[in-house]
Amino acid sequence: MIQKFTFGKPFKTDAVISEVKASDEKTKFGSFSGKKEFVWEYELSENDCIFGLGETMRGINKRGFEFISWNTDKPVQDENVRSLYGSHNFIIIFGKKTFGVFFDYPGKVTFDLAYTNHDRIKVTAVTKDIDVYFVTSTKKDSLKDIVKQFRSLTGQSYIPPRWAFGFCQSRWGYKCKKDIETVLNNYKKIGLPIDSVCMDIDYMEQYEDFTVDQKKFPAFKSFVSKLKKEGIRLVPIIDAGVKALKGYSVYDEMAKNGYACKRKDGSEFIAGVWPGDSVFPDFLNPEARRWFGNNYKVLTDSGIEGFWNDMNEPATFYSKEGLKETFEKIDSYKGKQLDIKSFFEFKEICGTIDNKLSDTTLFYHKVSKKTAGNLAATKPDKDGNVYVRHDSVHNLFGYNMTRGASEGFAKNSPDKRILIYSRSSYIGSHRYGGIWTGDNHSYWGDILLSLHQLASLNMTGYLYTGSDIGGFNADTTRDLMLRWLSFGIFSPLCRNHSALGTREQEFYRFEKPEDFKSMIELRYALLPYLYSEFVKAAVGDGMYFKPLAFEYPEDERAVRTEDQIMLGNEIMVAPVYVQNTRGRMVYFPENMVKIVWQNGKVKSQEKITKGDHYIEMPVDSVVFFVRENHVVPLAKPALCSEKINTKRLSLIGDLKKGASYELYEDDGFTTDITLDGRLRTLTV
C-alpha cells in the first residue's frame, strides 16, 4: 500500500510516474511538524534497522548517523562525509514496524537517523513544499515487496545493452589513439577479455563537449568502426560545463537560444571547470534539455554506443564572484605576519573556493509555473514560465542531464539501447541511466564501502551500478586490485578506473597478469547469468543486489551481517577487504555450495552447512556461494561478450537431479525487452 501526503505546493521533480491521490488522514508513522521548514519525526524501537538512502558513506544499516541529500563533488571520502554525488531520499525502517518512506524534494534534506537521539529519526527539508510517500506491506517478504511497490511508483530501472556487462578499462590520462591501442594490444597479448575502453576528458578538443581532437584521434569514425569489429566499444565522457567561447558551436547555440543557466540579472552564470570559464545548460528547461540531448548525435553518428556523464552535481572550480573575493582576501594578507588563526585561514582560502554552497544561490532555472510550485522566484512571463533559484532544485541537475541524453537517444536511435551512466543522480534518473559511485580511493575499506553502496542503491532503483575497481584516487597494489576485482566482477558495471598521477593499474602492469585474466574470464563465464538476473530484476521491479536481511528477514544474524551480499536469486558473495588475509569468516543463513574459481576454471565445489565457517580464499581465486537447491549457468569464456556461446552452458551449484535455472536471453541491443517467450529452462 502507498499513501501520499502533500505539504504546500511542491516542485514537480518527475521522480514519481504513478499518480497517487494525497491523503487527508493522519499518518500512522511518526509525526509532521515545522513552521517554515518541513520536519518528520519517528520514534524507533531498540532493534529497528534503517535501510536505504542509496549512495552514502557507512554501512547498509544507516542507523546512528546523519546524512544530507545535497549532490556534492566529493573526491575526499571518509566516514564523516554526509553528502555524496546523488540524492536518494528513500528509507526503509525494518523492525517493530516495517515501512518505507520517500521524501520527494529537490533541495537539501537532512536525515538525522538516530544521530542526535538514539531512538529517534528526524528528517528536515528547507521548506514545507514536499510530497511524502509511505509504503507498507503485509507480505512475509515485506522488505522486497516494499522495494517492488516503490519501483512501481518511480518506474522501471534502466537496462543497458548487453555488451555493457563486459569488462571496461578506463583511466584519466588516455590522451590519444595510440594510448588506447597500447592498452588493447597489451590485453590482447595476455588474452584478457574486454568489451570497452572509457575516454576521459583528454579526447576532446580543448575540453569542449561533443568534439574530438582530430590530431589525437585522426579518422575517429574509422577507428571506432575498426574497434567495434573486434568487439570493443569506446565510451567517451561528457561534462556538464560547456566552454564559454564564441565561435565554439555548442556555446554559440546555447547563447543564441538562451539555454544556459542565468544569473539574477539575466546574464549567463559563469564558473570554472576543465576548460576554464564555462556555462551550464539549463537541464530543467525542457527545450534546453532536448537540445543538449540531441548533441550526443555528433558522437553516435561516428559509431559511439555508450557515454558517461560527469561533473554534473554540478561541480565547479570557482565562480566569477568567488574568484574575485578570493584574490581580494589573498591580497589582504600581503606584508602581514600570520599567527595561528590567520595562517590556517590563509591556508584554507583556495581550498574552499570550489563547489561553494554560496555559488548555488547565484543562478536560476527556467521552468513552467505548473512545475515550480512555491519555489518560483519570479513572476510568470507571457509563456507561463518562471525562474527558480538553483539551490532550491540543486539535486535535480544531474538527473536531468542523464534524462536529456536518454531522450536524445530515444529520438535519434529509437530501437537501440545506448549505454549511459552518470555521477550525479536523483530518484527518477534510474529510468534513464545507471551511475557509478564516484571518486573512491585505493583503500581496503573502499571494497566494503562499494558493497554497502551497491546494496543500498538497488533499493532505490539503481541496478546498473559499480565502483571504480582498484580505486580511483591513491596508489593501488596488486593484492588490493585482486581482492577488489574478485568482488567487482559481480557488479553490473565492471570498470577498472584510476586518476591521472596515480599508479597505472591496468592488469598487465602487475606480476602474474594471468591471475587477473582468470578473474575476468569468470566474469565472462557468468555473464549469461548476470545479464539474466539483471533484466529479470529490472523488468520485475526487483533487486540485483540485496542485503542478506532482504532474503532472510527472520534471521537476526543475517539482518546484522554487513559484509556479505546476495546477487540475484542464487548467489551470495563475501569479499575479502582486509590486507594480508588468506580467508575470512562467513555466515551461511542456509546450506550452500562453495565455488572456487582458480586458473581460469572451477577448481572445486563443496557443500557448506548453515552457520559460521572460516573460508580459505587464496588471493588468486574467486570464492562465491550458491544457495541450496539452486544452480547457476556457466559459459565458456570469450574475448568479448558478443562471442559468448549461450547455447552451450554448464551448470554449477547444488547439482541435484531436477535442479534448474531459468535463463533470460535477448539480442542484447534492441529496446524490445520482455520476459515473455525469452526464458529458457536449464535443468541438471
Side-chain angles (χ1 to χ4, degrees), residues 265-294:
D265 63 5
S267 63
E268 294 172 340
F269 173 71
I270 294 178
V273 203
W274 304 115
D277 285 358
S278 301
V279 293
F280 298 84
D282 185 358
F283 294 120
L284 275 67
N285 175 354
E287 291 182 15
R289 187 169 64 241
R290 280 192 292 270
W291 166 80
F292 191 86
N294 196 54

Side-chain angles (χ1 to χ4, degrees), residues 607-624:
K607 291 188 176 181
I608 306 290
T609 57
K610 178 180 177 179
D612 291 293
H613 295 270
Y614 180 81
I615 304 296
E616 291 281 349
M617 296 183 177
V619 72
D620 61 349
S621 68
V622 181
V623 180
F624 61 100

Side-chain angles (χ1 to χ4, degrees), residues 67-328:
F67 302 92
I68 300 173
S69 285
W70 182 262
N71 294 2
T72 305
D73 175 17
K74 204 71 178 178
V76 178
Q77 301 170 9
D78 58 41
E79 289 194 16
N80 194 47
V81 167
R82 286 159 165 78
S83 303
L84 284 175
Y85 309 94
S87 293
H88 312 119
N89 304 337
F90 177 59
I91 59 175
I92 302 174
I93 289 83
F94 173 65
K96 189 174 182 180
K97 292 181 179 179
T98 297
F99 62 95
V101 54
F102 171 45
F103 303 90
D104 191 7
Y105 186 77
K108 180 181 176 182
V109 183
T110 301
F111 291 83
D112 184 333
L113 304 182
Y115 171 68
T116 302
N117 298 300
H118 78 283
D119 62 352
R120 184 163 292 273
I121 294 176
K122 184 177 181 180
V123 178
T124 308
V126 176
T127 71
K128 261 200 135 170
D129 304 297
I130 187 171
D131 284 322
V132 182
Y133 297 82
F134 289 97
V135 188
T136 56
S137 175
T138 57
K139 294 187 177 181
K140 186 177 180 180
D141 58 348
S142 60
L143 286 170
K144 289 192 283 187
D145 187 55
I146 285 170
V147 168
K148 186 178 180 69
Q149 289 187 67
F150 177 65
R151 294 263 291 287
S152 72
L153 183 71
T154 58
Q156 180 180 299
S157 297
Y158 162 78
I159 301 174
R162 189 170 54 206
W163 64 262
F165 290 80
F167 170 62
C168 174
Q169 179 60 54
S170 181
R171 180 175 172 84
W172 174 16
Y174 297 158
K175 296 181 183 298
C176 61
K177 175 183 174 182
K178 184 179 179 181
D179 288 345
I180 291 173
E181 289 176 329
T182 298
V183 169
L184 291 173
N185 287 337
N186 278 303
Y187 275 137
K188 192 178 293 183
K189 286 178 184 177
I190 62 174
L192 189 139
I194 184 170
D195 265 78
S196 59
V197 177
C198 276
M199 303 169 69
D200 213 313
I201 56 176
D202 293 305
Y203 81 90
M204 303 179 201
E205 192 173 315
Q206 302 298 314
Y207 308 122
E208 296 170 0
D209 276 346
F210 308 114
T211 66
V212 176
D213 190 318
Q214 295 301 316
K215 292 181 180 178
K216 296 177 180 178
F217 291 91
F220 181 67
K221 187 173 183 178
S222 297
F223 182 49
V224 172
S225 177
K226 173 180 175 291
L227 292 183
K228 199 180 297 185
K229 289 176 182 176
E230 300 172 12
I232 310 294
R233 267 79 176 178
L234 294 180
V235 182
I237 196 170
I238 301 293
D239 284 327
V242 172
K243 187 174 183 178
L245 177 68
K246 290 182 179 180
Y248 164 39
S249 62
V250 177
Y251 171 73
D252 288 343
E253 287 182 27
M254 283 183 70
K256 177 183 176 182
N257 294 295
Y259 289 156
C261 291
K262 302 291 195 303
R263 295 174 60 190
K264 193 172 184 178
D265 63 5
S267 63
E268 294 172 340
F269 173 71
I270 294 178
V273 203
W274 304 115
D277 285 358
S278 301
V279 293
F280 298 84
D282 185 358
F283 294 120
L284 275 67
N285 175 354
E287 291 182 15
R289 187 169 64 241
R290 280 192 292 270
W291 166 80
F292 191 86
N294 196 54
N295 274 282
Y296 287 81
K297 190 174 186 295
V298 172
L299 292 165
T300 57
D301 283 351
S302 292
I304 294 297
E305 297 178 344
F307 300 88
W308 50 308
N309 285 346
D310 198 9
M311 302 292 283
N312 52 351
E313 290 72 36
T316 57
F317 299 159
Y318 58 83
S319 67
K320 285 289 193 179
E321 292 85 345
L323 201 60
K324 181 175 180 292
E325 290 174 7
T326 300
F327 283 129
E328 288 174 352

Side-chain angles (χ1 to χ4, degrees), residues 574-640:
V576 170
Y577 53 91
V578 178
Q579 189 173 10
N580 297 320
T581 303
R582 298 184 179 182
R584 55 162 288 178
M585 293 298 299
V586 177
Y587 174 65
F588 293 84
E590 62 174 298
N591 297 340
M592 293 189 179
V593 176
K594 180 182 75 170
I595 310 293
V596 179
W597 177 276
Q598 199 171 35
N599 297 324
K601 61 184 179 181
V602 175
K603 181 181 179 182
S604 64
Q605 302 188 62
E606 175 189 354
K607 291 188 176 181
I608 306 290
T609 57
K610 178 180 177 179
D612 291 293
H613 295 270
Y614 180 81
I615 304 296
E616 291 281 349
M617 296 183 177
V619 72
D620 61 349
S621 68
V622 181
V623 180
F624 61 100
F625 312 95
V626 177
R627 298 173 67 185
E628 188 175 38
N629 301 319
H630 290 75
V631 290
V632 170
L634 210 63
K636 182 179 179 181
L639 289 177
C640 67

Side-chain angles (χ1 to χ4, degrees), residues 33-39 127-128:
S33 62
K35 293 183 179 179
K36 292 185 178 180
E37 64 183 9
F38 165 85
V39 177
T127 71
K128 261 200 135 170

Side-chain angles (χ1 to χ4, degrees), residues 316-594:
T316 57
F317 299 159
Y318 58 83
S319 67
K320 285 289 193 179
E321 292 85 345
L323 201 60
K324 181 175 180 292
E325 290 174 7
T326 300
F327 283 129
E328 288 174 352
K329 189 67 175 175
I330 290 172
D331 285 342
S332 73
Y333 287 103
K334 287 182 179 179
K336 295 181 180 178
Q337 291 188 29
L338 302 181
D339 58 18
I340 185 170
K341 181 180 178 181
S342 57
F343 171 73
F344 284 103
E345 185 182 57
F346 172 77
K347 188 177 178 181
E348 290 296 316
I349 290 174
C350 290
T352 57
I353 191 173
D354 57 324
N355 303 310
K356 287 181 69 173
L357 288 176
S358 59
D359 288 346
T360 65
T361 68
L362 299 178
F363 61 104
Y364 293 76
H365 297 273
K366 180 181 177 181
V367 299
S368 165
K369 176 79 166 62
K370 295 178 181 179
T371 297
N374 280 337
L375 295 184
T378 63
K379 293 181 179 180
D381 62 19
K382 61 181 177 62
D383 298 316
N385 295 313
V386 296
Y387 283 87
V388 296
R389 204 170 74 179
H390 174 79
D391 59 319
S392 65
V393 292
H394 172 76
N395 295 333
L396 301 181
F397 189 83
Y399 161 14
N400 280 285
M401 181 182 181
T402 301
R403 179 181 180 178
S406 177
E407 290 170 345
F409 303 149
K411 173 189 173 186
N412 296 311
S413 305
D415 300 320
K416 186 176 183 179
R417 279 180 265 167
I418 304 290
L419 172 63
I420 181 72
Y421 55 95
S422 169
R423 193 171 74 175
S424 177
S425 56
Y426 179 85
I427 288 174
S429 69
H430 70 284
R431 302 190 297 268
Y432 302 108
I435 61 174
W436 88 102
T437 59
D439 296 348
N440 59 7
H441 280 71
S442 299
Y443 297 162
W444 286 90
D446 278 24
I447 300 176
L448 182 59
L449 173 63
S450 174
L451 184 152
H452 294 159
Q453 291 178 332
L454 296 182
S456 298
L457 281 164
N458 267 243
M459 297 176 207
T460 61
Y462 291 91
L463 303 189
Y464 191 75
T465 56
S467 63
D468 289 341
I469 295 171
F472 177 74
N473 289 306
D475 293 330
T476 197
T477 60
R478 182 179 186 273
D479 56 343
L480 173 59
M481 178 60 84
L482 281 167
R483 290 301 193 190
W484 204 320
L485 184 61
S486 70
F487 173 63
I489 59 167
F490 294 102
S491 61
L493 172 59
C494 180
R495 182 175 79 153
N496 174 358
H497 183 48
S498 55
L500 185 70
T502 63
R503 181 181 186 178
E504 293 175 304
Q505 60 187 48
E506 294 83 6
F507 301 139
Y508 55 80
R509 298 186 185 277
F510 299 98
E511 298 172 78
K512 294 186 67 179
E514 60 267 25
D515 292 343
F516 296 95
K517 175 189 174 186
S518 170
M519 291 185 183
I520 294 295
E521 285 179 336
L522 174 59
R523 166 71 175 200
Y524 279 75
L526 283 171
L527 203 147
Y529 170 78
L530 301 180
Y531 182 70
S532 180
E533 288 302 295
F534 183 96
V535 175
K536 286 189 282 186
V539 173
D541 290 335
M543 298 170 68
Y544 174 91
F545 280 130
K546 298 183 289 285
L548 267 59
F550 282 61
E551 205 64 61
Y552 310 98
E554 296 177 358
D555 183 337
E556 183 66 17
R557 279 293 309 282
V559 170
R560 301 293 169 178
T561 297
E562 295 250 333
D563 59 355
Q564 300 169 208
I565 197 171
M566 304 302 297
L567 190 170
N569 195 43
E570 286 76 21
I571 288 177
M572 182 177 77
V573 182
V576 170
Y577 53 91
V578 178
Q579 189 173 10
N580 297 320
T581 303
R582 298 184 179 182
R584 55 162 288 178
M585 293 298 299
V586 177
Y587 174 65
F588 293 84
E590 62 174 298
N591 297 340
M592 293 189 179
V593 176
K594 180 182 75 170

